Amino acid sequence: MIYFDSAATTLQKPKAVRRAVSCALVGQTSPSRGGHRASMTAADTAYRAREAAAGLFGAPGPEHVVFTMNATHGLNLAIKSLVRAGERAVVSGYEHNSVARPLHAVGAEVVVARSPLFAPPAAVGAFEAAITPDTKLVVCNHVSNVFGYVLPVAEIAALCRERGVPFVLDASQSAGLSEIDAVALGAAFVAMPGHKGLYGPQGTGILICNTDTVCPLLEGGTGSNGAHWEMPDDLPDRLEAGTPNMPGISGLLAGMEFVRRRGRERILRRERHLLCYLLSGLWRIPGVYPYAAENPEQQAGVLSFHVDGADCEAVAEALGRANIAVRAGLHCSPLAHETAGTRHTGTVRVSFSVFNKESEVTQFLAILEQIIKNLRK
């Protein structure tokens, strides 16, 4: 199978990730729950994973790295720690439902700072206008999961620092590709999944906490302060109730080590090279309209397109029958499609990982061209 759906989940994992998961299944139990070797090994693995994440993402220290089930879990923790019903929250026009739905659930007044695709100065201007003195929270994704658009988060974070507004970064599509420094950004929280650009297993995630304002979603055992009814005050225990996913965390640690060794810049260059190669082929197919930045620096390894006169789901299904995995529709981000004007059509999305090759893109383009011809017969 040609797998071009890594913006959802990277399917091809480094061998070290698979080995780490397997070893944890038979050699690790619950950290901080016993003095025996299996528990102590788990505690060591968890701490090394926190250290790795703190180093990659600029956490104030390993204790400020909270393990989550996914980015959605982390974003719920962040949002529900910082905003209440009726309070004003400002978001970009490219947010995922993992931001939009928690804000809706708490009853926040959501203001969308809309700006055109691939126009960073306009994005900064939209946030500048939207952030008012009564704004309690700003949330922005680093890279759009629909269009690969790299938003100007450094400038947006600077606006938040100037105006004293907590900033939350959704790094779901940028973790493992782009430089992220929570302390330098002044971000209250940075949320990310483990199963995308960090090449870890599903069911893993990281929340970098750079604030003392944290509110648990769950209460329960933490392996610490067991005599008290209340959750511990200290991080990470305050936000990590219950038995942790040690096979997942072990795999995530191996994934982060893979990214560190390979180098984020090298991985991003590879994905952008494939994106440019794909784009040059798509422009040559009549009736195909890709959404691409003129400046490659404004787009990561995600590209959406639509086919004139063809349903995007039908195109994706036909590609699937040809053993090519892409995604079609709204990609759990109707807000992004409303902003870009594609809500009524959706898009076909191609997304890369470090394991994809030019030859796969060449094969994809040939098959796509034939599918389009068949759809128009």
Side-chain angles (χ1 to χ4, degrees):
M1 177 172 63
I2 295 176
Y3 189 80
F4 286 164
D5 195 20
S6 291
T9 297
T10 48
L11 180 63
Q12 298 102 325
K13 307 291 186 185
K15 291 179 181 177
V17 171
R18 301 197 295 270
R19 285 196 301 268
V21 172
S22 297
C23 289
L25 283 169
V26 297
Q28 297 183 32
T29 56
S30 299
S32 304
R33 269 75 165 180
H36 51 81
R37 187 187 337 182
S39 178
M40 294 175 70
T41 301
D44 177 67
T45 299
Y47 187 75
R48 288 191 294 118
R50 294 189 209 277
E51 283 190 313
L56 278 174
F57 305 114
E63 70 277 10
H64 292 264
V65 175
V66 171
F67 296 126
T68 61
M69 295 183 293
N70 42 51
T72 299
H73 180 194
L75 287 164
N76 270 264
L77 280 164
I79 288 166
K80 292 171 182 178
S81 291
L82 295 174
V83 70
R84 300 289 178 264
E87 294 181 337
R88 181 184 179 96
V90 177
V91 303
S92 83
Y94 298 94
E95 298 308 310
H96 190 274
N97 278 340
S98 56
V99 168
R101 286 178 172 172
L103 286 170
H104 174 76
V106 301
E109 177 198 353
V110 181
V111 176
V112 181
R114 292 190 191 274
S115 58
L117 260 177
F118 308 118
V124 175
F127 273 96
E128 191 168 15
I131 300 171
T132 56
D134 61 340
T135 300
K136 299 298 183 183
L137 174 65
V138 169
V139 187
C140 186
N141 63 15
H142 200 169
V143 173
S144 165
N145 74 302
V146 179
F147 300 105
Y149 173 26
V150 181
L151 280 91
V153 295
E155 292 86 346
I156 294 164
L159 280 174
C160 293
R161 294 196 302 273
E162 291 169 10
R163 302 187 185 188
V165 179
F167 175 65
V168 173
L169 178 65
D170 177 2
S172 293
Q173 300 299 335
S174 61
L177 290 173
S178 305
E179 183 178 357
I180 298 168
D181 190 319
V183 171
L185 286 171
F189 294 98
V190 179
M192 65 196 75
H195 64 277
K196 298 187 183 185
L198 296 181
Y199 295 92
Q202 293 100 314
T204 62
I206 291 169
L207 181 67
I208 305 295
C209 303
N210 189 29
T211 177
D212 294 328
T213 306
V214 295
C215 181
L217 289 179
L218 299 172
E219 289 79 28
T222 61
S224 61
N225 292 353
H228 300 279
W229 290 97
E230 298 82 11
M231 287 292 286
D233 291 329
D234 296 334
L235 289 171
D237 290 6
R238 184 161 180 77
L239 300 181
E240 289 186 358
T243 301
N245 174 10
M246 287 315 303
I249 291 168
S250 297
L252 177 56
L253 171 59
M256 288 189 287
E257 289 175 340
F258 168 81
V259 169
R260 180 184 57 79
R261 288 193 303 269
R262 184 67 61 98
R264 290 172 300 195
E265 298 85 356
R266 182 181 169 193
I267 295 171
L268 182 57
R269 281 198 305 271
R270 175 66 181 169
E271 291 193 13
R272 280 182 170 151
H273 169 75
L274 292 173
L275 187 145
C276 290
Y277 184 66
L278 169 65
L279 187 60
S280 66
L282 289 176
W283 284 125
R284 292 196 292 268
I285 301 176
V288 174
Y289 298 93
Y291 296 87
E294 291 184 10
N295 178 359
E297 298 296 310
Q298 294 173 4
Q299 193 164 8
V302 177
L303 187 141
S304 271
F305 65 91
H306 78 264
V307 177
D308 191 31
D311 180 74
C312 66
E313 298 282 1
V315 173
E317 287 174 10
L319 286 166
R321 289 193 294 272
N323 215 23
I324 297 175
V326 297
R327 186 172 176 182
L330 299 182
H331 319 295
C332 297
S333 188
L335 186 58
H337 287 279
E338 288 170 7
T339 301
T342 54
R343 175 68 185 263
H344 64 294
T345 61
T347 60
V348 180
R349 185 187 71 187
V350 174
S351 52
F352 298 115
S353 82
V354 72
F355 295 108
N356 290 125
K357 303 171 184 176
E358 271 191 17
S359 59
E360 293 176 318
V361 176
T362 301
Q363 188 175 349
F364 166 83
L365 289 166
I367 292 171
L368 176 65
E369 188 166 16
Q370 186 59 51
I371 285 170
I372 292 171
K373 289 177 181 177
N374 292 340
L375 288 172
R376 288 176 175 161
K377 285 181 179 177

